[in-house]
Amino acid sequence: MTAPEENVTEQAGPPEDQPPAAGSLTNAITALVLLGVGVAAVAASWTLGVGTAREPDSGMWPLLIGVALIVLGAALLAKFRTPSDAERFTRSGWPVLGGLATMVVFVVVLEYVGFEIPATLLCFAWLRFLGRESLRVSIVGSVAVVAVFYAVFVGALSVPIPHLL
């Protein structure tokens, strides 16, 4: 049995601080973007070389991820008219786009500058501006995270990533 106050809250709808629900157009655009990214990943994986199941080449993982994105995008497109709990894009979505943009910049400059400087700047930006951490935590945290990644991937696993040191 529920208390009378709970019934009043459920009937009133979502709280005012939540963004409004996304409509059919937003759901369809999201599904099409997902399909496009999946198709691009599959096409790019073929240029890297896929290999076989026994001897995978460097394009195998992008191929699998691309196929998964295509399947998920198709499933979303099939249900784009069904109401869901997806949120409409509002001002609260700008930090997500900022995080995505900094990641794209990181990937672009990684090959030319190396791993250490872009990774440190990326961690700092995410901690300081997206996570709203203090300046001290952002500086120490970004240097520590990059040092751990460097020790694990470059030092222990000998992963061939572009690096300065």
Side-chain angles (χ1 to χ4, degrees):
M1 181 170 198
T2 59
E5 297 87 26
E6 292 177 11
N7 289 335
V8 171
T9 304
E10 290 176 5
Q11 293 173 355
E16 292 183 19
D17 61 338
Q18 289 187 348
S24 297
L25 179 63
T26 303
N27 291 341
I29 290 172
T30 302
L32 291 173
V33 167
L34 200 56
L35 279 170
V37 170
V39 168
V42 168
S45 70
W46 287 110
T47 62
L48 293 173
V50 176
T52 63
R54 288 182 180 253
E55 295 181 29
D57 209 346
S58 58
M60 180 62 81
W61 275 111
L63 175 70
L64 295 175
I65 298 296
V67 169
L69 290 175
I70 290 171
V71 169
L72 292 172
L76 283 175
L77 193 58
K79 297 177 51 177
F80 80 97
R81 289 190 185 266
T82 305
S84 66
D85 59 349
E87 298 174 354
R88 184 179 300 166
F89 188 80
T90 60
R91 286 184 189 194
S92 64
W94 286 112
V96 175
L97 289 179
L100 181 64
T102 56
M103 180 61 87
V104 169
V105 171
F106 169 76
V107 170
V108 169
V109 301
L110 177 68
E111 186 174 332
Y112 303 106
V113 181
F115 168 74
E116 295 86 357
I117 294 172
T120 304
L121 293 175
L122 179 70
C123 275
F124 177 81
W126 283 13
L127 287 170
R128 181 72 178 154
F129 302 113
L130 299 180
R132 299 179 187 202
E133 295 292 340
S134 69
L135 185 61
R136 179 183 312 166
V137 169
S138 299
I139 292 171
V140 172
S142 60
V143 171
V145 166
V146 170
V148 168
F149 275 105
Y150 187 87
V152 170
F153 289 104
V154 176
L157 300 174
S158 300
V159 175
I161 58 173
H163 57 92
L164 297 174
L165 305 174

